[in-house]
Amino acid sequence: METLPDPCDDRVVKSVDPPPQKPLSEEMFYDSSGLPNYNVIKKHLVKEGKIHKEQFMKLILDTTEILKKEANLVKVSEPVCVVGDIHGQYYDFVHLLEKAGSPKKINYIFLGDYVDRGIFSIECVILLFSLKVAHPENVILLRGNHECRNMTDHFTFREETINKFDEEIYDHIMDAFDSMPLAAVVNDRYLAIHGGISPDLKKLSQITKIDRFQEPPVKGLFCDLLWSDPMNDEDANDFEFNENKERECSYLFGKKPTKKLLDNHNLMSIVRAHQVQIEGYKMHRWDGDSSFPYVITLFSAPNYCDYYSNKAAVLILKDGGISIKQYDQSEHPYFLPDQLDVFSWSMPFLAEKVMSLMTNILKQTSDDVDENDETSAVTEVTSASDKMKKFGKIKTKIKTMARVQKMFKVLKDEAEMLLKIKNMAPDGKIPRGLLLDGRPAIKNSFKEFKNASNLDKENEKMPNFK
Ligand SMILES: [Mn+2]
């Protein structure tokens, strides 16, 4: 693959290969049997290569066709790798695929939340869809609470898609999201869902009756499958369902309704994602420390948002046993906030400098006026009011310049504070502290994790949709 040329040999970071010069050709994109060549696509995207809009469009349509035919509740058998939230962390996603193995050898269930927050969400979608089309039976893509129009508009994915492709591509991806199944039963033993159970869920056959081809509603069974969370270990034995205050929608579920559903269907556990975990997973052992977990939470985005210092994990179900694979963050290319280009980003800095230059020149002029006035006063008899007028005009000019300069300084400072980083603070409100502090000097990952989750709380709730 030809890379971008470096004619002046002045590429600063030589250890990083230049991106591919051209988008993938048809011969590279598809293998000899006409299926997406996901290994080639994967590597191409790692090197920040582009793909043609037409290729992507066909991939989205092919994926949607396959997804549409799937049931709301799909069945999968082992060996299987269950993957939690990915959230646009493409480089970590690639790392996990290499760690867990080829879908030719192991099935995959992805629990949703592929996009938003991370800046490589498009790359994640391209690779996930390529895997799905190449192995429709072995790769299951469940729907998460971020796979909808409301969330991707509130967070970053819509903007990212329009930046990298256009609105038409975005609309078609949303149709694909609408087609994703909602749950899976693995090995007749585990129920896989993004969020959790619902007070409305008495038996699994209810899931099969949901009309899933739409934006998920803000309450009811469909909503809860995507949004609910298990209760704290301390509360789980005392309550059935509590209000989910943190999400401002859906519920927290406790042991009793979970046990009932599992027993009724002869299942062992609920495997779900949706909540960041410092170790990448959590076993909700509500019958004591050595008991089998009622719920297993998986989170597969390490060092979430480049800030949480958490590990990531996937669950491997194989030969009747379960095991957890953990992994740390992989390096990824740096991008300016809000996908700004370097020229737009530096404008406020430049403007501030120009203004300060002009203010100083004007100030100089006014000083000159003062001196001239003193010396000339001896020789020339000018009226005092004339002098004052001239001086007053210049003074006003300086004041105006100073005001404009101040405005640019504020703009620049704001750009520096990155207050608008949408993946950190979609409404520009939050985590100011997080952005102002930068990364804490003390390397205390638990403290960092706690700090990050506190500051990031606002982003865990359901936004107010119009
Ligand atoms: Mn989620």
Side-chain angles (χ1 to χ4, degrees), residues 85 87 113 144-146 194 226 247 274-275:
D85 294 22
H87 278 305
D113 280 12
N145 62 315
H146 277 265
H194 180 72
L226 269 47
R247 305 280 186 191
H274 199 36
Q275 279 177 308

